[in-house]
Amino acid sequence: MLHTMSTRVESATERSAAEVNEEIRALWLRSGGTLSVEQREEYRRLVMEWATAPPQPATAA
């Protein structure tokens, strides 16, 4: 049986690109500049989320 992996990022709450970027920066700081296999996977997920995120935080209506 062949399984395919979705490339679509789905998040419970929509975060702004700035918020996701902050998390990416924190990941790099925690790693000391060298990502483990698990951290690389998290980085890929975050970059995909960042690429589709709105530029500004969502505001309550």
Side-chain angles (χ1 to χ4, degrees):
M1 177 177 250
L2 193 71
H3 296 280
T4 60
M5 178 185 257
S6 173
T7 57
R8 210 174 73 171
V9 176
E10 295 179 27
S11 61
T13 60
E14 191 171 281
R15 300 187 294 171
S16 72
E19 291 169 316
V20 179
N21 189 43
E22 194 170 311
E23 190 171 340
I24 291 169
R25 289 175 185 265
L27 173 63
W28 278 106
L29 284 173
R30 284 192 315 271
S31 75
T34 303
L35 299 177
S36 68
V37 172
E38 294 83 16
Q39 289 169 322
R40 281 194 303 264
E41 191 57 41
E42 181 180 1
Y43 176 74
R44 282 188 206 104
R45 179 189 60 77
L46 288 168
V47 169
M48 293 291 292
E49 182 180 351
W50 174 84
T52 62
Q56 298 297 321
T59 57

